[in-house]
Amino acid sequence: MLEFRNVRYKYPDGTRVFEKLSFIVNEGEFVYVIGSTGAGKSTMAKLITSEAVPEAGSIMFYNLNVGRLKKRKIPLYRRQLGVVYQDFKLLPDKNCLENIIFVLEMTDKRKQECRTRAREVLRMVNLADKANKFPKDLSGGEKQRLAIARAIANKPKLLICDEPTANLDPEMSEEIMNIIEKINKETGTAIIFITHNSNIVNERRKRTLVIGGGTIVADLKEGGYHLQNEQVREFIEKEELEETQMITGLLNGDLFISNLSEQKKDDLLIKLLKEKKDEKQGG
């Protein structure tokens, strides 16, 4: 469904973000994206939504090359996506129902169809009784649920969640996760969930992409912040990562190795690099 192929990107000031970013997300899949602050997680989301354009490589969404879309075609493409932000981005002068209807009306749906769908998604996120309430009257968790309802109103094929639990307490975070998992299971919507919340990633194990050093430093089927040493070794051997990428990833904390002191991390790094050098020399 979504494929990044050797994507390169840098900020307008020249700072390099991605060198060779490659991964695939399949239909209906739920994928965590983790990495240290500044690794490029939110930038990756902007590349998907065509708010940013790669300088090289390609981003394919089905048969569309997102980076080459003409401006007039971008709004139509974005109808296939839903985005949930940590700061909600709700319309303060519209009530809950109107916040959703406003988005649906942009897709040329009939007024009654928009109203019916808006009430349907409010029920999905347990806000049916808040339809006439304004954002200022909602708790943080309710605001995020409304943001989710708005994001899925147009039945997107992919829902991008950019730190949706960052400003919520643990109880509210659990509630949001339950709703997003329900959407994934019941509607088949693929989920890209960007987060720093280690509790969620470790307790609700799913495929996890780790971004660091301008690339994917780990792609783990079972997920989790805390990687076992053998998982690190197997991934590096499989992908044949450049030594600079391994160093950057490990030193920036992008590989979250559990129960290791800094000395042991250094020892592991040295050992991995030595093994790679020996393999190259032997080859």
Side-chain angles (χ1 to χ4, degrees):
M1 180 185 73
L2 175 71
E3 182 176 4
F4 274 53
R5 300 174 183 169
N6 296 317
V7 169
R8 297 182 66 196
Y9 180 78
K10 61 183 177 183
Y11 293 134
D13 66 2
T15 302
R16 173 69 58 196
V17 185
F18 299 130
E19 187 56 45
K20 287 186 178 181
L21 188 66
S22 298
F23 64 89
I24 294 173
V25 175
N26 298 310
E27 288 185 332
E29 196 170 17
F30 194 125
V31 182
Y32 292 123
V33 177
I34 63 176
S36 62
T37 301
K41 302 182 297 299
S42 294
T43 300
M44 182 201 74
K46 290 180 179 179
L47 287 166
I48 297 172
T49 59
S50 199
E51 296 173 71
V53 179
E55 61 176 294
S58 62
I59 301 169
M60 303 300 298
F61 188 79
Y62 291 101
N63 61 340
L64 290 177
N65 189 329
V66 177
R68 294 187 178 180
L69 285 176
K70 294 181 179 179
K71 286 187 177 181
R72 60 184 174 84
K73 292 188 176 182
I74 291 175
L76 186 62
Y77 158 67
R78 287 177 179 165
R79 292 182 188 181
Q80 302 179 76
L81 309 175
V83 185
V84 180
Y85 303 94
Q86 68 180 50
D87 57 352
F88 316 129
K89 298 190 183 299
L90 302 173
L91 301 173
D93 60 337
K94 296 183 182 296
N95 64 32
C96 291
L97 190 67
E98 292 167 342
N99 258 275
I100 300 169
I101 290 175
F102 178 81
V103 173
L104 291 169
E105 285 178 339
M106 303 295 287
T107 64
D108 300 323
K109 287 183 171 62
R110 290 178 297 177
K111 193 170 184 178
Q112 185 55 48
E113 186 180 359
C114 292
R115 184 170 290 273
T116 299
R117 176 60 179 167
R119 292 193 180 280
E120 181 181 346
V121 293
L122 282 176
R123 286 194 297 271
M124 289 177 66
V125 300
N126 304 319
L127 284 178
D129 61 336
K130 306 285 185 180
N132 296 319
K133 297 288 185 181
F134 286 80
K136 66 180 179 62
D137 302 318
L138 304 178
S139 67
E142 289 171 337
K143 288 177 182 177
Q144 195 58 284
R145 280 189 277 155
L146 177 58
I148 293 169
R150 187 180 59 180
I152 65 171
N154 202 40
K155 300 180 180 179
K157 295 177 180 177
L158 173 63
L159 180 63
I160 303 167
C161 302
D162 191 358
E163 300 275 7
T165 63
N167 297 323
L168 305 179
D169 62 38
E171 185 177 347
M172 288 295 103
S173 296
E174 286 292 309
E175 186 176 4
I176 294 302
M177 281 304 301
N178 289 337
I179 290 172
I180 293 175
E181 287 183 338
K182 180 181 178 182
I183 291 167
N184 174 241
K185 291 176 182 177
E186 294 187 359
T187 69
T189 302
I191 309 289
I192 291 179
F193 195 96
I194 300 168
T195 186
H196 278 110
N197 192 319
S198 60
N199 289 332
I200 287 176
V201 177
N202 287 332
E203 292 172 7
R204 298 174 183 251
R205 292 296 180 103
K206 306 179 193 300
R207 180 186 170 200
T208 301
L209 297 177
V210 186
I211 295 180
T215 189
I216 299 295
V217 295
D219 183 348
L220 305 171
K221 291 182 180 180
E222 296 182 359
Y225 254 80
H226 302 300
L227 312 182
Q228 297 300 316
N229 296 358
E230 194 60 33
Q231 288 179 288
V232 178
R233 184 197 307 276
E234 288 176 0
F235 184 81
I236 290 174
E237 289 177 350
K238 177 183 175 183
E239 300 297 325
E240 296 182 349
L241 295 180
E242 294 294 329
E243 293 172 11
T244 54
Q245 292 175 345
M246 288 192 291
I247 292 170
T248 301
L250 284 167
L251 295 186
N252 285 345
D254 294 324
L255 295 183
F256 302 91
I257 306 171
S258 63
N259 302 321
L260 290 182
S261 66
E262 290 302 316
Q263 182 61 53
K264 288 185 177 179
K265 286 182 182 180
D266 290 342
D267 292 343
L268 175 60
L269 172 60
I270 293 169
K271 183 178 180 180
L272 289 171
L273 293 179
K274 184 177 184 303
E275 288 176 355
K276 290 302 293 183
K277 286 181 180 179
D278 291 343
E279 287 173 10
K280 287 180 180 179
Q281 292 171 357

